[in-house]
Amino acid sequence: MKKLLFLFLALGVMQVSGQNLSSLSKSATSSGNSMIESLATDQVRSLTKKLNLNEAQQEQVSGLVVSQLKSEKFQKLLSGIGVDKLSGSVDTEKTNEQVQNALLLDKDFQKGMGSILNEDQMKTMESYMPK
């Protein structure tokens, strides 16, 4: 009887622990997504100024930037930059420039932008690409 009671108690504790781990995982994912959204907003704001994007273009560029930032390649880059810099607590201007340079040099991003921007905007974008 004691063994059966102990077994039920152990199973109950494991179930509660599993629920806590699940909620932690969801919390980490949502905070990561909000960080990406914030970073994407900064990138779109910067690109809007530099390229004179209209509202429709801003929406398209926003989607493109978010999808790029969620890609495996950019996740590695972002993890290398560090959470402090990405969360805005340390040197955000330099961090935003690093991310934007990585975006501008990415072939997939360039291809996506090619379908959004007009010819003049593409030339302007090319002038901002790091050499």
Side-chain angles (χ1 to χ4, degrees):
M1 184 70 172
K2 288 182 181 179
K3 290 180 183 179
L4 191 58
L5 183 61
F6 177 74
L7 182 64
F8 282 127
L9 185 59
L11 288 173
V13 168
M14 286 191 300
Q15 184 177 6
V16 170
S17 295
Q19 289 174 349
N20 287 341
L21 291 175
S22 175
S23 65
L24 281 175
S25 172
K26 288 177 184 174
S27 173
T29 302
S30 68
S31 70
N33 284 341
S34 67
M35 188 168 53
I36 287 174
E37 293 290 334
S38 173
L39 192 56
T41 300
D42 291 341
Q43 294 304 312
V44 171
R45 189 177 303 126
S46 174
L47 290 168
T48 297
K49 284 181 185 176
K50 291 177 179 179
L51 305 175
N52 194 28
L53 302 176
N54 62 38
E55 285 186 32
Q57 288 174 319
Q58 287 177 34
E59 287 181 33
Q60 292 174 313
V61 169
S62 179
L64 178 62
V65 169
V66 168
S67 70
Q68 289 295 308
L69 293 178
K70 288 183 177 182
S71 73
E72 189 175 325
K73 182 188 339 183
F74 277 91
Q75 288 299 305
K76 288 179 184 177
L77 170 80
L78 296 176
S79 67
I81 291 174
V83 175
D84 287 346
K85 291 181 180 179
L86 292 173
S87 64
S89 59
V90 178
D91 204 9
T92 56
E93 191 173 317
K94 185 176 179 182
T95 303
N96 283 335
E97 186 178 333
Q98 276 182 290
V99 172
Q100 189 162 90
N101 287 341
L103 282 168
L104 291 173
L105 292 173
D106 186 75
K107 297 295 180 195
D108 293 331
F109 183 75
Q110 292 173 10
K111 184 178 177 183
M113 291 296 279
S115 66
I116 297 171
L117 303 178
N118 64 37
E119 193 174 317
D120 290 336
Q121 289 170 319
M122 278 302 292
K123 287 179 185 176
T124 304
M125 185 180 91
E126 289 169 6
S127 73
Y128 284 107
M129 290 182 187
K131 306 295 182 220

